Amino acid sequence: MISNRRGPVAALLALAVTLPLVQTAVAAPVAASAPVAREAADRKVELPRPAGPHTVGVSTLHLTQSGRPDPWLPEAGARQTLATLHYPAAAGTGGGARPYVTLDEARALAGHLGPEAIPPGSEGTLAGTRSWARQEARPVPGKFPLVVLSPGFGAPRSSQTHLAEDLASRGYVVASVDHAYESAASAFPGRGVLPCVACVKAENGEISYADVTRERAKDVSYLLDRLTGPRSVWKHSGTIDARKIGMAGHSIGGASAAHTMATDARVDAGINMDGSFFVPVPAGGLDGRPFMLLGAGYSAPGSGDASWDEGWRQLSGWKRWLSVRGSEHGDFSDLPVLTDALGAPRAPGTLPGDRMSRINRTYAAAFFDRHLKGAPRPVLNGPTSANPEVVFHAP
């Protein structure tokens, strides 16, 4: 959501290093002139309506991995993760829509991304973004494939809500994961908004991005244990078909999807959304399991990120390499929808947020429909007139 694959997380880290290593409160937002602040506050932000037939329910899990210290801040105690679970739900059940982010998280995110992405005075509007999931709604009968979503480095799990809600509406259980001290805008129970300690340590050279990728894979495997094991921590775990599991991620989350597949045979299919492979794809690939590369407009064979060229050669199963003309690194998250709605400027020639969201959702859903549900999805076979921005590469 924040970093650029060509220069991994440089923009993010320039902001992250200004954060103290212990933080439970959020600094006040940058002051705005009264007219600008009023204009920002008057705007309404709404995520795209999910395209599938189901109402969407949502739950939140807080997991603590006893016996495993936090890798970035061991003195903080055991490793903690948060997971937001979206799932197909019965219409008319559940409480009101889940808040997109808290006001403290919105303030932290605005300070992190800067005024060019989140205009000053719009923090309350951002926190009030309309999402579509109903809190603790009753699941519909049946079992559904599970898809794990991993955000970009420094980004909160909420950053791919448009995709999570859409997949759930199409018949998936979706787990969006926050990793403690890897986001600048995630509030953990009893701790407030945690700083991105991993960002600071990566910038200082104390850890590598490969380290982050490996630790995320451990987090996801633990999440799968707790969701699909004999003593699941989620009361609706009966809706999960544990034989059909996929994973997608943005930026370093995409690298984590590949490495999780390499280390955990339960994950059947994966998508890397514009993320460098900080841990190389193993020689021999991912045991023939399907994988898709979905990149920004600059993504092409030989374009500068050698990890994609090498990863493509190693993948031995069904695979696709797609890029989206008019897209940038952050566009594989909620960011373009949010910035458009908040009136923040977009780079000339970039796709509107709603169009980018539609492309993300179309191709992610098609991929998982094909590989987790066995449904034919011709949109994955080659270019289409309905999606002229999507380029198929065959190195």
Side-chain angles (χ1 to χ4, degrees):
M1 179 177 183
I2 303 169
S3 61
N4 187 298
R5 188 159 60 87
R6 289 296 181 266
V9 300
L12 163 65
L13 296 174
L15 292 166
V17 295
T18 66
L19 293 170
L21 292 185
V22 179
Q23 174 180 321
T24 56
V26 181
V30 177
S33 67
V36 172
R38 281 197 300 271
E39 181 180 352
D42 288 343
R43 291 180 181 272
K44 300 297 181 183
V45 181
E46 181 176 284
L47 294 180
R49 183 186 292 271
H54 295 290
T55 297
V56 179
V58 62
S59 298
T60 303
L61 291 180
H62 179 203
L63 301 179
T64 300
Q65 301 181 43
S66 300
R68 181 188 170 204
D70 188 273
W72 319 129
L73 198 65
E75 58 267 35
R79 178 66 159 171
Q80 295 193 25
T81 52
L82 290 172
T84 297
L85 292 156
H86 291 92
Y87 53 92
T93 66
R98 181 184 186 274
Y100 182 66
V101 291
T102 67
L103 184 56
D104 279 351
E105 288 172 328
R107 287 170 175 160
L109 190 59
H112 197 62
L113 291 175
E116 67 279 3
I118 309 296
S122 62
E123 295 83 4
T125 303
L126 177 61
T129 295
R130 180 181 180 183
S131 56
W132 297 92
R134 311 272 308 169
Q135 296 189 84
E136 301 299 340
R138 187 176 72 249
V140 298
K143 286 185 174 289
F144 304 94
L146 171 67
V147 174
V148 178
L149 295 182
S150 185
F153 199 27
R157 69 191 186 282
S158 59
S159 64
Q160 290 184 299
T161 301
H162 81 285
L163 180 56
E165 291 187 333
D166 187 70
L167 286 171
S169 78
R170 298 174 190 252
Y172 293 88
V173 175
V174 183
S176 303
V177 188
D178 248 330
H179 313 264
Y181 301 107
E182 292 183 28
S183 164
S186 298
F188 276 67
R191 295 189 175 190
V193 177
L194 300 182
C196 190
V197 174
C199 300
V200 178
K201 291 191 171 185
E203 172 71 0
N204 293 341
E206 297 178 59
I207 63 173
S208 69
Y209 303 119
D211 294 332
V212 177
T213 303
R214 294 187 183 101
E215 295 299 331
R216 285 200 176 190
K218 295 176 186 177
D219 289 342
V220 173
S221 289
Y222 182 78
L223 173 66
L224 296 182
D225 292 343
R226 302 313 310 274
L227 281 178
T228 66
R231 293 188 298 274
S232 176
V233 294
W234 187 41
K235 63 182 178 181
H236 301 315
S237 62
T239 62
I240 296 174
D241 185 344
R243 302 166 302 168
K244 299 175 181 179
I245 299 175
M247 183 172 174
H250 172 228
S251 194
I252 206 168
S256 301
H259 187 60
T260 302
M261 288 182 68
T263 57
D264 195 324
R266 290 175 292 183
V267 184
D268 301 300
I271 306 174
N272 181 347
M273 297 178 172
D274 211 53
S276 292
F277 290 104
F278 293 112
V279 178
V281 176
L286 302 171
D287 299 323
R289 285 168 289 169
F291 201 84
M292 185 165 73
L293 309 180
L294 182 60
Y298 48 69
S299 170
S303 63
D305 189 336
S307 76
W308 273 39
D309 295 282
E310 179 60 24
W312 177 263
R313 287 191 290 269
Q314 298 296 354
L315 292 171
S316 58
W318 185 102
K319 59 185 179 180
R320 292 290 185 272
W321 181 336
L322 312 181
S323 61
V324 184
R325 293 192 189 100
S327 68
E328 298 181 317
H329 182 69
D331 291 350
F332 298 89
S333 69
D334 294 348
L335 189 59
V337 172
L338 298 176
T339 54
D340 277 4
L342 292 171
R346 297 261 293 152
T350 53
L351 295 174
D354 60 348
R355 178 60 185 154
M356 191 64 213
S357 172
R358 192 173 301 115
I359 290 171
N360 285 338
R361 296 184 298 163
T362 295
Y363 284 87
F367 175 83
F368 289 122
D369 283 352
R370 176 168 182 158
H371 297 295
L372 298 183
K373 295 183 176 181
R377 291 294 180 261
V379 73
L380 296 173
N381 295 340
T384 66
S385 58
N387 300 293
E389 308 94 337
V390 179
V391 180
F392 282 67
H393 301 285

